[in-house]
Amino acid sequence: MTRYLLFLILLCVKTASLAQDIQPIVFSGGKNFVGKDVIQIEYGLNFERQIKSIRTINQQISQYGLFKYGVLHNLDFSISYNYAREQYFVSDQMRRSNGLSNITAGFKKKISKNYSFQSNVGFSKNEMGELLGSFQVSAISEHIIDSFLAWENNLGLNWANGDPQANLMYLSGLTFTIPYPLDFILEFYGQYGQQAWNNYTNVGIGYYFSKDIMLEAYAGYGNTLNQQSTFFSVNIYWRLVPARYSEK
């Protein structure tokens, strides 16, 4: 399983002068924009356990890394990778599969106050070593309901691995600040199509070590083609901000 997204927190706090182009805290897999010339680096680990039958268990460990750059205050460029390795336990015997990886790059552009558009292209290798391509487009809405609550909704299409038939992707997530430096996150997301039919829900908690360093931990449940799974994720975020943003 490639998890496209790990969807995080935003706090819309504006400051005067040049600093109003960047929010004090914007760690985002999907939410908001990092700010012009700001760099955001992300790294995460995910462990998933899926019970296929009484005697067969599938475990997957995956990791991802992401580099995001603010081209403009309302335009972000990002490039990411994901690597996964599976282990099968059949009648107490373990079997391993080769690691599957993919690389994705794309842009996110604001089109109005609360709405933006994102497009990505990706490349991956299957178990036979063949290079495959994919393409995604998403419409994103982000709303600040109150100073302590943010609501995000994503809806998009994913043409995976060269398949001409697109899968429908969705996400709906709430983030509660309870209070800073702690966040509580609740998300629902999944994909639908001829080759994909999965739904996931997770709860998470985030902790800000500083305005530029954040750690999140998630626990969740998934259902893929009537096969249940549980997973746990840990993600860290680090932001590099130009010195001019701290100038008055």
Side-chain angles (χ1 to χ4, degrees):
M1 177 194 72
T2 300
R3 300 185 65 216
Y4 291 100
L5 4 127
L6 297 165
F7 309 95
L8 312 171
I9 179 64
L10 62 96
L11 290 176
C12 282
V13 180
K14 293 187 177 179
T15 58
S17 187
L18 181 60
Q20 68 183 356
D21 289 337
I22 180 173
Q23 298 182 10
I25 300 169
V26 184
F27 293 100
S28 59
K31 298 182 177 68
N32 223 307
F33 293 81
V34 296
K36 188 177 186 303
D37 295 327
V38 175
I39 294 173
Q40 183 172 303
I41 298 171
E42 307 175 12
Y43 179 77
L45 291 173
N46 179 72
F47 175 80
E48 182 176 3
R49 181 182 177 91
Q50 183 181 74
I51 300 177
K52 293 189 173 183
S53 67
I54 296 177
R55 304 182 65 184
T56 304
I57 299 175
N58 176 18
Q59 292 183 173
Q60 183 186 81
I61 299 175
S62 61
Q63 60 177 316
Y64 90 97
L66 183 143
F67 172 90
K68 184 181 292 184
Y69 175 73
V71 181
L72 301 170
H73 72 279
N74 60 359
L75 177 65
D76 286 351
F77 168 77
S78 63
I79 183 168
S80 65
Y81 85 94
N82 187 288
Y83 179 84
R85 191 171 187 87
E86 291 184 326
Q87 296 178 342
Y88 297 89
F89 294 85
V90 182
S91 300
D92 297 327
Q93 294 184 357
M94 184 180 72
R95 303 173 184 175
R96 293 183 177 178
S97 67
N98 294 327
L100 304 178
S101 61
N102 65 68
I103 297 175
T104 303
F107 288 90
K108 179 182 176 182
K109 178 70 170 68
K110 182 181 287 292
I111 55 178
S112 67
K113 178 181 179 181
N114 296 315
Y115 298 92
S116 56
F117 176 83
Q118 185 167 358
S119 63
N120 295 306
V121 293
F123 299 94
S124 63
K125 286 186 177 182
N126 60 17
E127 295 180 349
M128 304 299 294
E130 299 173 326
L131 184 64
L132 303 172
S134 62
F135 179 68
Q136 298 177 16
V137 292
S138 298
I140 304 170
S141 68
E142 300 157 321
H143 301 273
I144 304 300
I145 299 176
D146 206 331
S147 60
F148 62 89
L149 177 61
W151 183 31
E152 179 187 5
N153 290 282
N154 295 358
L155 188 64
L157 296 173
N158 176 32
W159 288 265
N161 301 328
D163 191 339
Q165 181 67 41
N167 296 328
L168 177 68
M169 305 183 301
Y170 79 93
L171 163 83
S172 185
L174 293 170
T175 300
F176 303 85
T177 302
I178 53 170
Y180 176 81
L182 289 175
D183 290 328
F184 176 78
I185 304 103
L186 176 63
E187 295 175 333
F188 302 91
Y189 55 98
Q191 286 195 66
Y192 296 99
Q194 292 182 345
Q195 302 297 326
W197 187 273
N198 54 63
N199 296 278
Y200 295 91
T201 182
N202 62 240
V203 294
I205 188 166
Y207 181 80
Y208 297 91
F209 292 95
S210 72
K211 67 177 183 178
D212 297 320
I213 300 176
M214 180 187 180
L215 180 70
E216 283 193 335
Y218 286 90
Y221 168 84
N223 190 317
T224 302
L225 298 175
N226 295 321
Q227 296 179 352
Q228 289 81 35
S229 64
T230 57
F231 61 88
F232 177 77
S233 300
V234 177
N235 311 313
I236 189 167
Y237 306 85
W238 180 31
R239 192 176 64 175
L240 303 174
V241 181
R244 69 175 186 272
Y245 279 107
S246 60
E247 298 174 356
K248 294 183 180 180

